[in-house]
Amino acid sequence: MNGQDALAERLAGALRSRPDLLVLGEDVLDGGVFGLSRVAAADEDLRPRLCPTPLVPGTMAGHAAGLGLAGRSALIVAPSASAVLDGMADLLAAADPAAWAAMDAPAPFKLLVPVGPGLGTAEDADRPVEALLAAVPGLALLAAGRPETLLPAFDALLDAPGPTALLVPRRVLLAPQPGSVAALDPSGLDRLTEGRRGTIFAFADAVAPALEAGAGLDVTVAELWRLDPLPADAIGEAARTGHVVIAHPGPDSLVAHRIAAVCAGEAVWHLDGPVRIVGGARPPLGPAAEHLSVPDAEAIYAALVSAGAVPPQQEKDRP
Amino acid sequence: MDTTFWEPEGAERLLRPDGSPADGDTDLGDLPLDRLYRALVAARTLDLKIARLGLPARAPWAGEEAVAAAVALATRPDDWVFPGPRDGAIAFLRGLDAEAVAHQLRSADPAAGLPARDAFADPEGHTGPLPRGLGHHLALATGTARAQALEDTEHVTVATFGEGTTTTGAFHEALSLAAAAELPLVFVCKSLVWPEGAPAEAGTVGDPVYERVRALGVRTVRTDGACAAATLRHLADAVRRARDGKGPALVEVVVTPAIFDPPAERDPIERLRRHLDRIGKWNRTFQDVAEAEVATRLERAFRAYEEATP
């Protein structure tokens, strides 16, 4: 069973246990673009809560927020990065607390965004959307970084009280699911390894190469599953090793720059070197070049060296 | 006096400009004309009150009150209404109290209150906030209408907007969604097309809105906003139809803002007043009471707010 299968099962289970939950998206009655609603679509009791939407979902967030106003909880399955781009104006209006100043609070809605090269058919399909979503005021942003945390991250999305988006990298979606799932640290940051010489902050599908880069080194590898708002205290604590590298998918990252700013604000007296940020290649990237969308382990290791996290002797000995 | 330069083409009306019934067998017996008139006066009084405050970025609605009054009378408290930028009076007419209106309008401190353009929202009264962007509220309206359809209740959603919004993708997406899912959603389009009209790029090119939308299979009607009675009847019909599970509708209301300086009969208040006068239901005292009732409530609320605010 891969992540897609597991998520389809989990979504059907969530629809059964949450009578207020609805799923919006292209062709959701036929399983949806990624087949995420196919288990639910096979259940006659759940089909009424699968709501197909127009193919160009410019106003899906507003539609979901309207459902939220009426006491429902709507999960949007975005078909591609280009669909998110199409709906940005509506997303800004639906999530912005200032736009809801006269109401009690923004109406809640959930957005599931599969990301990575090869998704969608438009030119922008492989454009990283993390920076755009992180810039939407009022929208909480989560990311599933590993197969082990895909389902817990999905649960966190459904449990979130306000407008929230979850980034699911295509590779995490397609990877085999492990026998057991990992629990997410409520802070939003999980320390996957512990070390004293340096810290790698990584998120989404940059987590796997970060773990590979840190293998055998005395460094902490920290996965951020909550990207906005960032867990500032946990980041500051983890940055106290003094040498920091931030690994992110895509060529540029608003979240990575925010993490660097948090390190400067929370741990500047502990830093012994420059904060290094390392990302992937610039689009367009076809499916065959998917691996280039995230920095490889060598690039992250080079950043660790540059940040001063690898002692010279150990650097020389690395195979 | 039947047809003048100022009378819009193809718009349904029940009252002629002089207030007489449009034709001999016009029956207005089912319409609460007294309540309708009071609602029109209340909306106008609120507009005048706000105009005196000199608030920035506010669109006046004098001359367009037929829509707000008809929406308020045609909907039930549990229905959802999403007013357009020139329909702030809807929340007030649906029950948002004068104190809340004063608070929302006068709160200048972002930490404590609201900027003026966010006024008139009433979550408890199921009246949504005024849209910040053209057509954004239509997406919200499709959402509440979807929830109402799923719950199999008799509740409906009404959204109002100007004809400029028909140029947006949000309008077409909302309309397509409402038609495809047969949502209990009534679109109310205020058209300023008469007598001079807006430029083509503002949504007036080609056929009128109600004819363009009819092509989608949505039931449509065009009414004269100077005839509040006709606006109420057709809007109430559309709401009733949606309530009965017969799907969405669009009511295009041709309005003439007072700032166009139109003749008196283009004013919905004046036209209905002429009718009430003809049938012996209007006099000066009735008018004074209708105006004073609302003006006093507003005055008290604004004064209390001023006194309570340092």
Side-chain angles (χ1 to χ4, degrees), chain A residues 22 24 48-49 51-54 56-67 69-70 72 89-90 93-94 96 98-104, chain B residues 80 82 104 113-115 118-123 127-130 132 136 139-144 146-147 150-151 169-170 173-174 176-177 183:
Chain A
L22 303 169
L24 311 180
R49 286 189 279 141
C51 306
T53 52
V56 180
T59 62
M60 242 195 316
H63 186 54
L67 282 158
L69 268 181
R72 295 284 183 153
D90 183 57
D96 187 357
W100 293 85
M103 306 294 271
D104 297 332
Chain B
W80 271 99
F82 293 89
Q104 292 187 4
L114 310 157
D118 285 327
F120 304 118
D122 184 9
T127 304
L130 301 189
R132 288 196 153 196
H136 284 157
L140 296 172
T142 60
T144 55
R146 170 92 78 177
L150 285 165
E151 284 155 18
E173 192 166 328
S176 302
L177 194 58
L183 301 181

Short mmCIF file of all heavy atoms in Angstrom, two decimals, chain A residues 22 24 48-49 51-54 56-67 69-70 72 89-90 93-94 96 98-104, chain B residues 80 82 104 113-115 118-123 127-130 132 136 139-144 146-147 150-151 169-170 173-174 176-177 183:
data_model
loop_
_atom_site.label_atom_id
_atom_site.label_comp_id
_atom_site.label_asym_id
_atom_site.label_seq_id
_atom_site.Cartn_x
_atom_site.Cartn_y
_atom_site.Cartn_z
N LEU A 22 -16.96 17.38 4.23
CA LEU A 22 -17.25 17.26 2.80
C LEU A 22 -15.93 17.30 2.05
O LEU A 22 -14.96 17.88 2.52
CB LEU A 22 -18.10 18.43 2.31
CG LEU A 22 -19.44 18.70 2.97
CD1 LEU A 22 -19.98 20.04 2.52
CD2 LEU A 22 -20.42 17.61 2.59
N LEU A 24 -14.30 18.52 -1.59
CA LEU A 24 -14.51 19.27 -2.83
C LEU A 24 -13.33 19.02 -3.76
O LEU A 24 -12.19 18.96 -3.32
CB LEU A 24 -14.57 20.78 -2.55
CG LEU A 24 -15.47 21.29 -1.43
CD1 LEU A 24 -15.37 22.81 -1.34
CD2 LEU A 24 -16.90 20.89 -1.68
N PRO A 48 -22.82 11.34 -1.21
CA PRO A 48 -23.44 12.68 -1.17
C PRO A 48 -22.51 13.76 -0.63
O PRO A 48 -22.75 14.95 -0.86
CB PRO A 48 -24.64 12.48 -0.23
CG PRO A 48 -24.96 11.02 -0.32
CD PRO A 48 -23.63 10.34 -0.48
N ARG A 49 -21.46 13.35 0.08
CA ARG A 49 -20.55 14.37 0.64
C ARG A 49 -19.28 14.54 -0.21
O ARG A 49 -18.33 15.16 0.22
CB ARG A 49 -20.22 14.02 2.08
CG ARG A 49 -21.42 14.32 3.00
CD ARG A 49 -21.08 14.20 4.44
NE ARG A 49 -21.08 12.83 4.90
CZ ARG A 49 -20.21 12.33 5.75
NH1 ARG A 49 -19.25 13.09 6.22
NH2 ARG A 49 -20.29 11.07 6.12
N CYS A 51 -18.23 16.40 -3.40
CA CYS A 51 -18.82 17.48 -4.19
C CYS A 51 -17.89 17.87 -5.34
O CYS A 51 -16.89 18.57 -5.12
CB CYS A 51 -19.06 18.70 -3.31
SG CYS A 51 -20.03 18.32 -1.84
N PRO A 52 -18.21 17.45 -6.55
CA PRO A 52 -17.38 17.84 -7.70
C PRO A 52 -17.46 19.35 -7.91
O PRO A 52 -18.51 19.95 -7.75
CB PRO A 52 -18.01 17.09 -8.88
CG PRO A 52 -18.95 16.10 -8.28
CD PRO A 52 -19.35 16.62 -6.94
N THR A 53 -16.35 19.92 -8.28
CA THR A 53 -16.29 21.37 -8.47
C THR A 53 -15.83 21.68 -9.90
O THR A 53 -15.33 20.79 -10.60
CB THR A 53 -15.30 22.00 -7.48
OG1 THR A 53 -14.08 21.30 -7.58
CG2 THR A 53 -15.82 21.93 -6.07
N PRO A 54 -15.99 22.93 -10.34
CA PRO A 54 -15.54 23.27 -11.69
C PRO A 54 -14.06 22.93 -11.90
O PRO A 54 -13.27 22.86 -10.95
CB PRO A 54 -15.76 24.78 -11.76
CG PRO A 54 -16.88 25.02 -10.80
CD PRO A 54 -16.65 24.05 -9.68
N VAL A 56 -11.67 24.59 -13.29
CA VAL A 56 -10.74 25.66 -12.93
C VAL A 56 -11.22 26.24 -11.60
O VAL A 56 -12.14 27.03 -11.55
CB VAL A 56 -10.70 26.76 -14.00
CG1 VAL A 56 -9.74 27.87 -13.61
CG2 VAL A 56 -10.29 26.17 -15.34
N PRO A 57 -10.63 25.79 -10.53
CA PRO A 57 -11.21 26.08 -9.23
C PRO A 57 -10.82 27.45 -8.68
O PRO A 57 -10.15 27.56 -7.67
CB PRO A 57 -10.66 24.95 -8.35
CG PRO A 57 -9.33 24.65 -8.97
CD PRO A 57 -9.42 24.97 -10.43
N GLY A 58 -11.23 28.48 -9.38
CA GLY A 58 -10.87 29.84 -8.95
C GLY A 58 -11.50 30.26 -7.64
O GLY A 58 -10.97 31.10 -6.94
N THR A 59 -12.62 29.66 -7.30
CA THR A 59 -13.31 30.11 -6.08
C THR A 59 -13.59 28.96 -5.12
O THR A 59 -14.51 29.02 -4.34
CB THR A 59 -14.65 30.80 -6.43
OG1 THR A 59 -15.51 29.86 -7.08
CG2 THR A 59 -14.44 31.99 -7.34
N MET A 60 -12.76 27.94 -5.18
CA MET A 60 -13.02 26.79 -4.31
C MET A 60 -12.87 27.12 -2.83
O MET A 60 -13.61 26.62 -1.99
CB MET A 60 -12.12 25.63 -4.68
CG MET A 60 -12.98 24.48 -5.12
SD MET A 60 -12.22 22.89 -5.23
CE MET A 60 -10.69 23.07 -6.00
N ALA A 61 -11.88 27.98 -2.51
CA ALA A 61 -11.69 28.33 -1.10
C ALA A 61 -12.90 29.08 -0.57
O ALA A 61 -13.35 28.84 0.56
CB ALA A 61 -10.42 29.17 -0.93
N GLY A 62 -13.44 29.99 -1.36
CA GLY A 62 -14.64 30.72 -0.93
C GLY A 62 -15.82 29.78 -0.78
O GLY A 62 -16.60 29.90 0.17
N HIS A 63 -15.94 28.84 -1.69
CA HIS A 63 -17.02 27.86 -1.61
C HIS A 63 -16.89 27.05 -0.31
O HIS A 63 -17.87 26.85 0.42
CB HIS A 63 -16.92 26.94 -2.83
CG HIS A 63 -18.05 25.96 -2.95
ND1 HIS A 63 -19.38 26.33 -2.94
CD2 HIS A 63 -18.06 24.61 -3.08
CE1 HIS A 63 -20.14 25.25 -3.07
NE2 HIS A 63 -19.36 24.20 -3.14
N ALA A 64 -15.66 26.64 -0.02
CA ALA A 64 -15.42 25.86 1.20
C ALA A 64 -15.66 26.72 2.45
O ALA A 64 -16.20 26.24 3.44
CB ALA A 64 -13.99 25.33 1.20
N ALA A 65 -15.26 28.00 2.38
CA ALA A 65 -15.48 28.88 3.53
C ALA A 65 -16.97 29.10 3.76
O ALA A 65 -17.43 29.20 4.90
CB ALA A 65 -14.77 30.22 3.31
N GLY A 66 -17.74 29.18 2.67
CA GLY A 66 -19.19 29.30 2.81
C GLY A 66 -19.78 28.07 3.50
O GLY A 66 -20.65 28.19 4.36
N LEU A 67 -19.28 26.90 3.15
CA LEU A 67 -19.71 25.68 3.83
C LEU A 67 -19.33 25.75 5.31
O LEU A 67 -20.08 25.33 6.18
CB LEU A 67 -19.07 24.47 3.17
CG LEU A 67 -19.72 24.04 1.85
CD1 LEU A 67 -18.76 23.22 1.00
CD2 LEU A 67 -20.98 23.22 2.13
N LEU A 69 -19.05 28.47 7.07
CA LEU A 69 -19.99 29.40 7.72
C LEU A 69 -21.27 28.69 8.13
O LEU A 69 -21.89 29.02 9.15
CB LEU A 69 -20.37 30.51 6.74
CG LEU A 69 -19.57 31.79 6.72
CD1 LEU A 69 -20.15 32.75 5.68
CD2 LEU A 69 -19.54 32.45 8.08
N ALA A 70 -21.68 27.74 7.30
CA ALA A 70 -22.93 27.03 7.56
C ALA A 70 -22.72 25.80 8.43
O ALA A 70 -23.59 24.94 8.51
CB ALA A 70 -23.57 26.64 6.23
N ARG A 72 -20.34 23.38 8.22
CA ARG A 72 -19.70 22.21 7.63
C ARG A 72 -18.19 22.36 7.66
O ARG A 72 -17.66 23.46 7.85
CB ARG A 72 -20.15 22.05 6.18
CG ARG A 72 -21.62 21.74 6.02
CD ARG A 72 -21.89 20.29 6.39
NE ARG A 72 -23.28 19.92 6.18
CZ ARG A 72 -23.66 18.68 5.92
NH1 ARG A 72 -22.78 17.71 5.85
NH2 ARG A 72 -24.93 18.39 5.76
N ALA A 89 -6.44 34.55 -5.53
CA ALA A 89 -7.20 35.72 -5.10
C ALA A 89 -8.33 35.31 -4.17
O ALA A 89 -8.56 35.94 -3.12
CB ALA A 89 -7.75 36.46 -6.32
N ASP A 90 -8.99 34.23 -4.52
CA ASP A 90 -10.09 33.74 -3.70
C ASP A 90 -9.58 33.21 -2.38
O ASP A 90 -10.19 33.42 -1.32
CB ASP A 90 -10.81 32.64 -4.49
CG ASP A 90 -12.01 32.11 -3.75
OD1 ASP A 90 -12.89 32.92 -3.41
OD2 ASP A 90 -12.06 30.91 -3.49
N ALA A 93 -8.87 36.03 -0.05
CA ALA A 93 -10.11 36.60 0.50
C ALA A 93 -10.72 35.67 1.55
O ALA A 93 -11.25 36.12 2.56
CB ALA A 93 -11.11 36.85 -0.62
N ALA A 94 -10.64 34.37 1.30
CA ALA A 94 -11.30 33.42 2.20
C ALA A 94 -10.55 33.23 3.52
O ALA A 94 -11.16 32.94 4.54
CB ALA A 94 -11.45 32.07 1.50
N ASP A 96 -8.08 35.47 4.89
CA ASP A 96 -7.56 36.67 5.54
C ASP A 96 -8.43 37.08 6.74
O ASP A 96 -9.60 37.42 6.56
CB ASP A 96 -7.52 37.82 4.52
CG ASP A 96 -6.83 39.05 5.10
OD1 ASP A 96 -6.44 39.01 6.28
OD2 ASP A 96 -6.67 40.02 4.35
N ALA A 98 -8.50 39.78 8.30
CA ALA A 98 -8.99 41.16 8.17
C ALA A 98 -10.27 41.21 7.35
O ALA A 98 -11.14 42.05 7.60
CB ALA A 98 -7.91 42.02 7.51
N ALA A 99 -10.40 40.29 6.40
CA ALA A 99 -11.60 40.27 5.58
C ALA A 99 -12.80 39.78 6.37
O ALA A 99 -13.94 39.97 5.96
CB ALA A 99 -11.40 39.39 4.34
N TRP A 100 -12.52 39.15 7.50
CA TRP A 100 -13.60 38.60 8.32
C TRP A 100 -13.75 39.39 9.61
O TRP A 100 -14.33 38.89 10.58
CB TRP A 100 -13.30 37.14 8.66
CG TRP A 100 -13.34 36.24 7.47
CD1 TRP A 100 -12.33 35.99 6.58
CD2 TRP A 100 -14.46 35.49 7.00
NE1 TRP A 100 -12.74 35.13 5.61
CE2 TRP A 100 -14.04 34.80 5.84
CE3 TRP A 100 -15.77 35.32 7.46
CZ2 TRP A 100 -14.90 33.96 5.13
CZ3 TRP A 100 -16.60 34.49 6.74
CH2 TRP A 100 -16.17 33.83 5.60
N ALA A 101 -13.21 40.62 9.62
CA ALA A 101 -13.18 41.38 10.87
C ALA A 101 -14.55 41.56 11.48
O ALA A 101 -14.68 41.61 12.71
CB ALA A 101 -12.53 42.73 10.60
N ALA A 102 -15.56 41.67 10.65
CA ALA A 102 -16.89 41.90 11.19
C ALA A 102 -17.58 40.59 11.62
O ALA A 102 -18.62 40.63 12.25
CB ALA A 102 -17.76 42.61 10.16
N MET A 103 -17.00 39.46 11.25
CA MET A 103 -17.56 38.19 11.68
C MET A 103 -16.75 37.73 12.91
O MET A 103 -15.83 38.39 13.35
CB MET A 103 -17.47 37.15 10.56
CG MET A 103 -18.07 37.60 9.24
SD MET A 103 -19.87 37.84 9.27
CE MET A 103 -20.44 36.20 8.86
N ASP A 104 -17.10 36.59 13.45
CA ASP A 104 -16.39 36.13 14.63
C ASP A 104 -14.96 35.72 14.29
O ASP A 104 -14.02 36.00 15.03
CB ASP A 104 -17.13 34.93 15.24
CG ASP A 104 -18.52 35.34 15.70
OD1 ASP A 104 -18.69 36.52 16.04
OD2 ASP A 104 -19.42 34.49 15.69
N TRP B 80 -29.29 32.53 4.52
CA TRP B 80 -28.05 33.30 4.45
C TRP B 80 -28.17 34.36 3.37
O TRP B 80 -28.74 34.11 2.29
CB TRP B 80 -26.85 32.40 4.12
CG TRP B 80 -26.20 31.83 5.33
CD1 TRP B 80 -26.37 30.58 5.85
CD2 TRP B 80 -25.25 32.49 6.18
NE1 TRP B 80 -25.60 30.42 6.98
CE2 TRP B 80 -24.90 31.57 7.21
CE3 TRP B 80 -24.67 33.75 6.20
CZ2 TRP B 80 -24.00 31.88 8.21
CZ3 TRP B 80 -23.77 34.06 7.21
CH2 TRP B 80 -23.44 33.14 8.20
N PHE B 82 -25.72 37.35 1.38
CA PHE B 82 -24.40 37.95 1.16
C PHE B 82 -24.59 39.23 0.34
O PHE B 82 -24.76 39.16 -0.88
CB PHE B 82 -23.47 36.96 0.46
CG PHE B 82 -23.13 35.78 1.32
CD1 PHE B 82 -23.94 34.65 1.31
CD2 PHE B 82 -22.05 35.82 2.18
CE1 PHE B 82 -23.67 33.57 2.14
CE2 PHE B 82 -21.76 34.74 3.01
CZ PHE B 82 -22.57 33.61 2.99
N GLN B 104 -19.82 49.20 14.36
CA GLN B 104 -19.09 48.75 13.17
C GLN B 104 -18.66 49.93 12.30
O GLN B 104 -17.57 49.93 11.73
CB GLN B 104 -19.95 47.78 12.35
CG GLN B 104 -20.19 46.45 13.05
CD GLN B 104 -20.89 45.43 12.16
OE1 GLN B 104 -21.14 45.67 11.00
NE2 GLN B 104 -21.23 44.29 12.72
N GLY B 113 -11.93 47.52 16.93
CA GLY B 113 -13.13 47.48 16.11
C GLY B 113 -12.85 47.12 14.68
O GLY B 113 -12.02 46.27 14.39
N LEU B 114 -13.54 47.76 13.81
CA LEU B 114 -13.54 47.34 12.42
C LEU B 114 -13.38 48.54 11.51
O LEU B 114 -13.92 49.60 11.77
CB LEU B 114 -14.90 46.69 12.11
CG LEU B 114 -15.33 45.63 13.10
CD1 LEU B 114 -16.83 45.46 13.04
CD2 LEU B 114 -14.64 44.35 12.78
N PRO B 115 -12.68 48.37 10.41
CA PRO B 115 -12.69 49.44 9.42
C PRO B 115 -14.08 49.58 8.82
O PRO B 115 -14.84 48.62 8.78
CB PRO B 115 -11.68 48.97 8.38
CG PRO B 115 -11.58 47.51 8.56
CD PRO B 115 -11.88 47.23 10.00
N ASP B 118 -15.92 47.07 6.53
CA ASP B 118 -16.34 45.76 7.03
C ASP B 118 -17.65 45.84 7.80
O ASP B 118 -18.05 44.89 8.44
CB ASP B 118 -15.27 45.15 7.92
CG ASP B 118 -14.12 44.62 7.08
OD1 ASP B 118 -14.37 44.16 5.95
OD2 ASP B 118 -12.99 44.68 7.56
N ALA B 119 -18.28 47.01 7.76
CA ALA B 119 -19.50 47.16 8.53
C ALA B 119 -20.63 46.33 7.92
O ALA B 119 -20.55 45.90 6.78
CB ALA B 119 -19.90 48.62 8.57
N PHE B 120 -21.66 46.14 8.72
CA PHE B 120 -22.92 45.52 8.30
C PHE B 120 -22.89 44.00 8.25
O PHE B 120 -23.81 43.39 7.73
CB PHE B 120 -23.39 46.05 6.94
CG PHE B 120 -23.53 47.53 6.90
CD1 PHE B 120 -22.77 48.29 6.04
CD2 PHE B 120 -24.40 48.18 7.75
CE1 PHE B 120 -22.88 49.66 6.01
CE2 PHE B 120 -24.52 49.56 7.73
CZ PHE B 120 -23.76 50.30 6.84
N ALA B 121 -21.85 43.38 8.75
CA ALA B 121 -21.88 41.92 8.83
C ALA B 121 -22.60 41.50 10.10
O ALA B 121 -22.53 42.17 11.13
CB ALA B 121 -20.47 41.35 8.82
N ASP B 122 -23.29 40.40 10.03
CA ASP B 122 -24.06 39.93 11.18
C ASP B 122 -24.06 38.40 11.17
O ASP B 122 -24.98 37.78 10.63
CB ASP B 122 -25.49 40.48 11.09
CG ASP B 122 -26.32 40.10 12.31
OD1 ASP B 122 -25.74 39.58 13.29
OD2 ASP B 122 -27.54 40.33 12.29
N PRO B 123 -23.02 37.79 11.78
CA PRO B 123 -22.96 36.32 11.73
C PRO B 123 -24.17 35.66 12.36
O PRO B 123 -24.67 34.67 11.84
CB PRO B 123 -21.67 35.99 12.48
CG PRO B 123 -21.26 37.24 13.19
CD PRO B 123 -21.88 38.39 12.47
N THR B 127 -26.07 37.20 7.97
CA THR B 127 -25.76 38.15 6.90
C THR B 127 -24.25 38.27 6.81
O THR B 127 -23.59 38.63 7.78
CB THR B 127 -26.38 39.53 7.18
OG1 THR B 127 -27.79 39.37 7.37
CG2 THR B 127 -26.14 40.47 6.01
N GLY B 128 -23.70 37.92 5.66
CA GLY B 128 -22.25 37.88 5.48
C GLY B 128 -21.66 39.27 5.36
O GLY B 128 -22.37 40.26 5.19
N PRO B 129 -20.32 39.35 5.42
CA PRO B 129 -19.65 40.64 5.31
C PRO B 129 -19.70 41.18 3.88
O PRO B 129 -19.85 40.41 2.93
CB PRO B 129 -18.20 40.32 5.71
CG PRO B 129 -18.03 38.87 5.38
CD PRO B 129 -19.39 38.23 5.58
N LEU B 130 -19.59 42.48 3.75
CA LEU B 130 -19.52 43.06 2.41
C LEU B 130 -18.24 42.57 1.75
O LEU B 130 -17.21 42.42 2.40
CB LEU B 130 -19.53 44.58 2.47
CG LEU B 130 -20.74 45.23 3.16
CD1 LEU B 130 -20.72 46.74 2.96
CD2 LEU B 130 -22.06 44.67 2.65
N ARG B 132 -14.75 42.27 -0.16
CA ARG B 132 -13.59 43.14 -0.33
C ARG B 132 -13.16 43.17 -1.79
O ARG B 132 -12.64 44.16 -2.27
CB ARG B 132 -12.43 42.66 0.52
CG ARG B 132 -12.66 42.90 1.98
CD ARG B 132 -11.37 42.78 2.76
NE ARG B 132 -11.46 43.59 3.96
CZ ARG B 132 -10.40 43.94 4.69
NH1 ARG B 132 -9.20 43.55 4.31
NH2 ARG B 132 -10.55 44.67 5.76
N HIS B 136 -16.17 38.10 -4.59
CA HIS B 136 -15.69 37.09 -3.64
C HIS B 136 -16.82 36.52 -2.80
O HIS B 136 -16.78 35.36 -2.40
CB HIS B 136 -14.61 37.69 -2.72
CG HIS B 136 -13.30 37.83 -3.41
ND1 HIS B 136 -12.34 38.73 -3.01
CD2 HIS B 136 -12.78 37.20 -4.47
CE1 HIS B 136 -11.30 38.64 -3.80
NE2 HIS B 136 -11.54 37.72 -4.70
N ALA B 139 -18.74 33.20 -3.98
CA ALA B 139 -18.22 31.86 -3.65
C ALA B 139 -18.71 31.43 -2.27
O ALA B 139 -19.09 30.27 -2.07
CB ALA B 139 -16.69 31.88 -3.69
N LEU B 140 -18.72 32.37 -1.33
CA LEU B 140 -19.24 32.04 0.01
C LEU B 140 -20.71 31.63 -0.10
O LEU B 140 -21.17 30.69 0.56
CB LEU B 140 -19.12 33.25 0.93
CG LEU B 140 -17.71 33.74 1.25
CD1 LEU B 140 -17.77 35.05 2.03
CD2 LEU B 140 -16.96 32.71 2.07
N ALA B 141 -21.44 32.34 -0.96
CA ALA B 141 -22.87 32.05 -1.11
C ALA B 141 -23.09 30.65 -1.66
O ALA B 141 -24.02 29.94 -1.23
CB ALA B 141 -23.52 33.10 -2.01
N THR B 142 -22.25 30.22 -2.60
CA THR B 142 -22.41 28.86 -3.11
C THR B 142 -22.14 27.83 -2.00
O THR B 142 -22.74 26.76 -1.97
CB THR B 142 -21.46 28.56 -4.29
OG1 THR B 142 -20.11 28.72 -3.86
CG2 THR B 142 -21.75 29.45 -5.48
N GLY B 143 -21.24 28.21 -1.08
CA GLY B 143 -20.92 27.30 0.03
C GLY B 143 -22.08 27.13 0.99
O GLY B 143 -22.46 26.00 1.33
N THR B 144 -22.67 28.24 1.43
CA THR B 144 -23.80 28.10 2.36
C THR B 144 -24.98 27.44 1.65
O THR B 144 -25.71 26.64 2.24
CB THR B 144 -24.23 29.47 2.94
OG1 THR B 144 -24.51 30.37 1.86
CG2 THR B 144 -23.16 30.05 3.83
N ARG B 146 -24.78 25.22 -0.71
CA ARG B 146 -24.46 23.78 -0.78
C ARG B 146 -24.82 23.10 0.55
O ARG B 146 -25.41 22.02 0.57
CB ARG B 146 -22.99 23.59 -1.10
CG ARG B 146 -22.48 22.19 -0.98
CD ARG B 146 -22.53 21.40 -2.25
NE ARG B 146 -21.44 21.77 -3.14
CZ ARG B 146 -21.21 21.18 -4.32
NH1 ARG B 146 -21.99 20.20 -4.72
NH2 ARG B 146 -20.24 21.56 -5.09
N ALA B 147 -24.45 23.76 1.66
CA ALA B 147 -24.76 23.18 2.97
C ALA B 147 -26.28 23.08 3.15
O ALA B 147 -26.78 22.08 3.66
CB ALA B 147 -24.14 24.03 4.08
N LEU B 150 -27.55 20.14 1.17
CA LEU B 150 -27.20 18.86 1.77
C LEU B 150 -28.06 18.55 2.99
O LEU B 150 -28.37 17.40 3.27
CB LEU B 150 -25.72 18.86 2.17
CG LEU B 150 -24.73 18.73 1.02
CD1 LEU B 150 -23.33 19.10 1.48
CD2 LEU B 150 -24.74 17.31 0.47
N GLU B 151 -28.41 19.60 3.71
CA GLU B 151 -29.21 19.39 4.91
C GLU B 151 -30.68 19.19 4.60
O GLU B 151 -31.49 18.92 5.48
CB GLU B 151 -29.00 20.57 5.87
CG GLU B 151 -27.66 20.50 6.58
CD GLU B 151 -27.18 21.87 7.04
OE1 GLU B 151 -28.01 22.79 7.11
OE2 GLU B 151 -25.98 22.01 7.29
N GLY B 169 -14.69 36.04 -13.18
CA GLY B 169 -14.72 34.58 -13.20
C GLY B 169 -15.51 34.05 -12.01
O GLY B 169 -16.17 33.02 -12.11
N ALA B 170 -15.43 34.77 -10.89
CA ALA B 170 -16.14 34.32 -9.69
C ALA B 170 -17.64 34.22 -9.96
O ALA B 170 -18.30 33.27 -9.51
CB ALA B 170 -15.87 35.28 -8.53
N GLU B 173 -18.27 31.16 -12.24
CA GLU B 173 -18.03 29.90 -11.52
C GLU B 173 -19.16 29.63 -10.53
O GLU B 173 -19.65 28.50 -10.42
CB GLU B 173 -16.69 29.97 -10.79
CG GLU B 173 -16.24 28.62 -10.29
CD GLU B 173 -14.78 28.60 -9.87
OE1 GLU B 173 -13.98 29.33 -10.47
OE2 GLU B 173 -14.46 27.85 -8.94
N ALA B 174 -19.57 30.68 -9.84
CA ALA B 174 -20.67 30.52 -8.87
C ALA B 174 -21.96 30.12 -9.58
O ALA B 174 -22.69 29.23 -9.14
CB ALA B 174 -20.87 31.82 -8.08
N SER B 176 -22.26 28.61 -12.53
CA SER B 176 -22.15 27.24 -13.07
C SER B 176 -22.34 26.22 -11.97
O SER B 176 -23.04 25.21 -12.15
CB SER B 176 -20.77 27.04 -13.71
OG SER B 176 -20.55 27.97 -14.72
N LEU B 177 -21.71 26.50 -10.84
CA LEU B 177 -21.80 25.56 -9.72
C LEU B 177 -23.24 25.47 -9.22
O LEU B 177 -23.77 24.38 -8.97
CB LEU B 177 -20.87 26.04 -8.59
CG LEU B 177 -20.56 25.07 -7.48
CD1 LEU B 177 -19.94 23.80 -8.03
CD2 LEU B 177 -19.58 25.71 -6.49
N LEU B 183 -28.40 24.38 -6.61
CA LEU B 183 -28.33 24.94 -5.26
C LEU B 183 -29.49 25.92 -5.01
O LEU B 183 -29.94 26.60 -5.94
CB LEU B 183 -27.00 25.68 -5.07
CG LEU B 183 -25.73 24.85 -5.25
CD1 LEU B 183 -24.49 25.71 -5.01
CD2 LEU B 183 -25.73 23.65 -4.32
#
